[in-house]
């Protein structure tokens, strides 16, 4: 692990890996200087979501396995926060994931299916307990006073639908979004796009907004975003947590899987 810089302005941790910038995989406590070397921390906490499964192959597993082996060699604890695991269909991926799982103290799971995938690799069930991190029971909070006229139809796209892992071409996915928006207009219902992710989904929403002349909602406060979803009459979401935000508030929802 390289040093970690703390951005006080946004109170978050930024991290760079030494192999191609694979993205943040850990949150580490930092000293008052704002920097922490790998030898000055007591543990590593992995907060990423779904990245270990047959869909992704061995790339992330092998990279993280090396990182965690180095951390354990320094006597540091490694904990994987709740995430989705599996399926691990080929023997090579199964062996790689088994090695990674035995290098960490805990690999917490989001659901029983994920736990069964890990237990099938020989992981002790006590080390892969189920701790769902879904937000079904978290209530929404009131939108800001200047927010008015919430849409009746909310469309939440997902770049995963068109990237290397996705089932559709960019043009095909754009057609799907167009169809949903056309149906809303035909029913006389106002519609808006919502960026439910702080990364490439925003870029995708902005492009779709220019193409289809609909507004984009990008609410950084998660509970406010959930409240806005709760005021819709129907939600089309290709983001899991967008679906949870809708269904947990009794809003009908549609999706396509990737």
């Amino acid at each position: 692990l390289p040093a970690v810089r703390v951005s006080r302005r946004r109170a978050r941790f930024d991290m760079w890996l030494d192999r191609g910038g694979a993205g943040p995989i850990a949150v580490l406590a930092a000293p008052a200087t704002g920097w922490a070397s790998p030898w000055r921390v007591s543990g590593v906490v992995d907060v990423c979501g779904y990245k270990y499964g047959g869909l992704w192959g061995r790339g992330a597993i092998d990279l993280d396995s090396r990182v965690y082996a180095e951390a354990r060699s320094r006597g540091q604890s490694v904990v994987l926060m709740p995430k989705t695991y599996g399926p691990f269909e080929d023997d090579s991926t199964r062996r790689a994931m088994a090695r990674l799982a035995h290098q960490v103290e805990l690999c917490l799971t989001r659901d029983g299916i994920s736990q069964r995938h890990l237990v099938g690799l020989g992981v002790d069930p006590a080390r892969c307990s189920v701790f769902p991190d879904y937000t079904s029971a978290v209530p929404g909070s009131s939108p800001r006073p200047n927010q008015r006229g919430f849409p009746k139809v909310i469309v939440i796209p997902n770049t995963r639908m068109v990237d290397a892992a996705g089932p559709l071409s960019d043009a095909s996915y754009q057609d799907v979004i167009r169809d949903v928006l056309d149906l809303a207009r035909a029913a006389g219902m106002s519609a808006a796009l919502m960026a439910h992710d702080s990364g490439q989904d925003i870029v995708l929403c902005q492009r779709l907004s220019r193409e289809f002349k609909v507004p984009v909602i990008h609410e950084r406060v998660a509970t406010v975003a959930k409240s806005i979803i709760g005021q819709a009459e129907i939600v089309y979401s290709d983001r899991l947590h967008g679906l949870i935000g809708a269904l947990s508030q009794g809003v009908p929802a549609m999706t396509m899987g990737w």
Side-chain angles (χ1 to χ4, degrees):
L1 296 177
V4 178
R5 181 176 64 84
V6 180
S7 172
R8 292 186 177 85
R9 179 173 64 87
R10 303 181 75 174
R12 66 190 179 95
F13 295 92
D14 291 329
M15 184 172 200
W16 292 267
L17 294 178
D18 58 355
R19 291 184 175 87
I25 63 164
V27 177
L28 306 178
T33 60
W35 290 87
S37 76
W39 293 271
R40 296 181 62 183
V41 299
S42 59
V44 177
V45 179
D46 184 324
V47 297
C48 285
Y50 180 39
K51 62 175 178 174
Y52 301 141
L55 180 66
W56 305 111
R58 287 186 50 178
I61 297 174
D62 288 340
L63 173 61
D64 291 357
S65 187
R66 291 194 296 270
V67 171
Y68 298 150
E70 293 172 7
R72 293 305 296 270
S73 72
R74 294 188 291 269
Q76 296 162 352
S77 299
V78 180
V79 173
L80 310 187
M81 296 299 284
K83 61 178 87 273
T84 302
Y85 294 88
F88 307 107
E89 296 175 343
D90 63 270
D91 291 341
S92 175
T93 302
R94 288 174 60 84
R95 288 193 297 270
M97 188 63 212
R99 284 194 297 271
L100 185 149
H102 285 91
Q103 288 172 352
V104 304
E105 295 193 34
L106 292 173
C107 37
L108 305 176
T109 61
R110 284 175 167 169
D111 55 81
I113 294 174
S114 295
Q115 185 187 45
R116 287 195 292 275
H117 283 312
L118 291 181
V119 171
L121 301 178
V123 180
D124 184 344
R127 294 180 53 246
C128 57
S129 300
V130 178
F131 285 92
D133 63 343
Y134 300 129
T135 57
S136 305
V138 177
S141 56
S142 298
R144 298 179 180 86
N146 62 340
Q147 290 179 310
R148 293 291 186 270
F150 298 108
K152 297 300 182 182
V153 178
I154 292 178
V155 178
I156 305 175
N158 183 353
T159 54
R160 289 296 187 195
M161 296 297 293
V162 296
D163 67 7
L168 299 176
S169 68
D170 188 72
S172 297
Y173 191 46
Q174 187 165 297
D175 288 342
V176 170
I177 302 300
R178 178 189 290 110
D179 288 345
V180 174
L181 295 173
D182 285 348
L183 287 170
R185 293 190 181 104
M189 303 171 75
S190 58
L193 301 162
M194 175 178 278
H196 212 263
D197 179 81
S198 59
Q200 290 299 310
D201 283 5
I202 298 173
V203 177
L204 175 60
C205 282
Q206 290 171 340
R207 179 165 59 82
L208 294 171
S209 175
R210 291 191 297 270
E211 177 70 21
F212 302 129
K213 306 299 187 293
V214 290
V216 175
I217 300 170
H218 181 214
E219 176 53 63
R220 294 182 179 275
V221 180
T223 53
V224 174
K226 185 170 184 177
S227 178
I228 295 172
I229 290 173
Q231 297 181 59
E233 293 188 13
I234 191 166
V235 169
Y236 174 89
S237 174
D238 290 323
R239 281 285 175 187
L240 171 63
H241 294 283
L243 288 172
I244 293 172
L247 297 174
S248 65
Q249 299 180 94
V251 179
M254 302 180 295
T255 190
M256 286 196 303
W258 56 272

